[in-house]
Amino acid sequence: MRLQEHQSKLLFAERGIAIPRGAVAAAPEEARRIARDLGGAVAVKAQVLVGGRGKAGGVRLASTPEEAEEAATAILKMQIGGCPVHKLLVEEAVNIRQELYLGVAIDRNLRQAVMMASAEGGVEIEQVARADPGAIKVVAVDPLLGLGTAQTQGLAKGIGLPEELGTFDGVARSLYETFLSCDALLAEINPLAVTNTGQLLALDGKMVLDDNALFRHPDLEQLRDASDETPAEREARGAGLSYVYLGGEIGCMVNGAGLAMATMDVIKFFGGAPANFLDVGGGATAEQVAAALRLVMRTPQIEVVLINIFGGITRCDEVARGIVAALEGIESRTPLVVQLSGTNEGQGREILNASAHRLIVAGTLTEAAQKAVALAGSRQEM
Ligand code: GDP
Ligand code: MN
């Protein structure tokens, strides 16, 4: 889960990192009011979960409340990387002497968190990594010992910070602390501004949290931005399903993530394109199966649905009941290819065969995938 800039910065600030004063606005008048209260020049910044916002014109400086309102009006009309802008951060403008980069991420080869610093902040770090990899200094953080002062001093020296910037150690430790305590995959300040009074200020903030650890952080889960997900993804999460939209024409409903991946591979092998990844999970009830199928059937461009169930803990008759229940509430002519094997598969097939809907029961996954691909093709030609 990605956090918006203002959310990331508040998490940084709670742990002692200095950030500019500011507030979030959803309308131009609100932006003007915040600018007036801040009493000076402000930066008006689109809150969108895509990179390159500044370059796209989503960050504007305004010297009066009226200018802030104008900037807000313009930015709220923008789409940045396909994302409409609904919220703005209005914060006091800062006189920048230098822009640094500071980030913590996981290095999967090292199996450790690494802290990265660069004197070339303000531009995307991937760009620095390509153009001048030596400009990025990296230290690996021992999970037991934490980030040491010698390490932060090494980073400061490596990027040429003057010694009097004693606060760098504090910012670096606080950033690592934020990363660790939120179970983040990434915590990044870019730019970490050196102001003309020599202060270090987080001007931008980016955090990516580990979804698999979010259950430990109900407070962070609350920060989830609805615009980060499609309605289908949000609904799937609510129903406890793993769902990823993929855009092809064959809707998929499978139990087990590995089987879902294998099913997608087989569809691709026979020349089709999966519309989604969907794992209904182990031991799914008829209600869950029905919810999952309704979700898949609503995908606008699907030509056919392929259901592939391996009954272990999951019972095929229960799945079949879910399929029939879902179809009763749907007026759709989309054909379904179903392959059930394992626990109670005979009963499951009987339930399906008794249904009035257009169901094609296949004996193997190969047969099911071939039929689904053929149906998708023929429907496209019609
Ligand atoms: P990004 O493009 O999404 O990474 O947006 P940032 O928040 O990093 O802002 C992009 C750039 O705008 C920064 O690197 C700064 O150069 C500039 N900027 C942002 N806020 C201020 C500010 O308060 N004062 C000044 N002078 N520049 C700012
Ligand atoms: Mn930035």
Side-chain angles (χ1 to χ4, degrees):
M1 176 174 125
R2 292 167 298 170
L3 297 184
Q4 297 281 12
E5 174 193 7
H6 69 274
Q7 299 171 327
S8 306
K9 279 159 124 175
L10 285 180
L11 294 174
F12 298 160
E14 281 169 13
R15 291 163 183 85
I17 297 174
I19 61 168
R21 288 184 304 140
V24 175
E29 313 79 68
E30 213 179 334
R32 180 171 59 176
R33 215 167 333 116
I34 296 167
R36 195 195 55 213
D37 293 348
L38 289 170
V42 295
V44 182
K45 311 175 80 177
Q47 299 298 287
V48 283
L49 295 168
V50 289
R53 173 183 60 155
K55 235 183 290 165
V59 176
R60 295 199 194 188
L61 295 175
S63 46
T64 63
E66 289 68 37
E67 273 181 41
E69 183 171 353
E70 279 166 38
T73 306
I75 297 175
L76 284 169
K77 285 190 192 133
M78 291 177 65
Q79 288 232 357
I80 301 177
C83 291
V85 182
H86 299 301
K87 282 189 183 148
L88 305 163
L89 175 61
V90 183
E91 59 180 20
E92 58 186 351
V94 174
N95 291 317
I96 304 172
R97 187 198 294 167
Q98 193 188 352
E99 299 192 17
L100 311 173
Y101 172 93
L102 189 64
V104 185
I106 289 177
D107 184 316
R108 289 176 192 274
N109 289 323
L110 291 176
R111 300 182 184 183
Q112 281 184 337
V114 290
M115 176 164 272
M116 298 164 287
S118 172
E120 294 178 31
V123 291
E124 284 190 25
I125 196 68
E126 290 82 0
Q127 204 174 313
V128 180
R130 273 193 300 273
D132 185 8
I136 304 173
K137 302 296 167 197
V138 184
V139 292
V141 186
D142 185 293
L144 294 176
L145 299 177
L147 185 67
T149 305
Q151 290 185 299
T152 65
Q153 279 172 349
L155 285 176
K157 203 163 169 218
I159 64 172
L161 286 189
E163 296 233 349
E164 68 269 18
L165 274 177
T167 47
F168 180 80
D169 175 70
V171 173
R173 282 163 177 281
S174 297
L175 186 64
Y176 179 67
E177 169 58 23
T178 312
F179 172 87
L180 203 63
S181 60
C182 297
D183 283 314
L185 299 174
L186 176 75
E188 185 180 270
I189 305 175
N190 186 24
L192 174 62
V194 183
T195 65
N196 56 3
T197 55
Q199 203 200 354
L200 284 176
L201 206 56
L203 269 205
D204 191 8
K206 180 172 172 183
M207 284 191 73
V208 181
L209 305 179
D210 184 347
D211 288 327
N212 295 311
L214 268 180
F215 73 95
R216 304 206 292 196
H217 305 282
D219 50 328
L220 297 177
E221 171 73 46
Q222 302 257 305
L223 300 178
R224 187 183 290 279
D225 193 303
S227 62
D228 190 19
E229 294 178 305
T230 63
E233 283 167 343
R234 186 159 55 249
E235 187 181 321
R237 195 168 43 75
L241 306 164
S242 302
Y243 173 89
V244 182
Y245 174 74
L246 296 170
E249 71 284 349
I250 302 179
C252 301
M253 188 178 88
V254 188
N255 68 321
L259 190 60
M261 303 284 266
T263 305
M264 286 162 32
D265 281 350
V266 176
I267 289 171
K268 285 253 181 196
F269 180 79
F270 288 115
N276 64 281
F277 166 97
L278 173 64
D279 171 14
V280 289
T285 62
E287 288 74 40
Q288 282 170 309
V289 168
L293 186 53
R294 279 194 286 266
L295 186 76
V296 173
M297 298 282 281
R298 271 211 316 274
T299 315
Q301 81 287 358
I302 59 161
E303 305 285 342
V304 54
V305 175
L306 172 55
I307 299 174
N308 184 25
I309 300 294
F310 179 77
I313 308 169
T314 307
R315 288 167 28 216
C316 293
D317 57 323
E318 184 77 11
V319 170
R321 262 190 284 279
I323 294 171
V324 172
L327 293 177
E328 270 161 16
I330 299 175
E331 275 188 39
S332 162
R333 299 183 46 79
T334 307
L336 274 75
V337 181
V338 191
Q339 130 66 25
L340 302 174
S341 51
T343 311
N344 295 353
E345 65 176 66
Q347 283 162 263
R349 293 220 179 96
E350 274 169 37
I351 293 168
L352 293 181
N353 285 333
S355 161
H357 196 88
R358 196 173 162 202
L359 288 168
I360 297 128
V361 181
T364 64
L365 173 57
T366 303
E367 184 194 336
Q370 282 174 317
K371 284 188 167 154
V373 172
L375 280 164
S378 64
R379 279 168 69 90
Q380 270 168 353
E381 280 153 27
M382 282 185 331

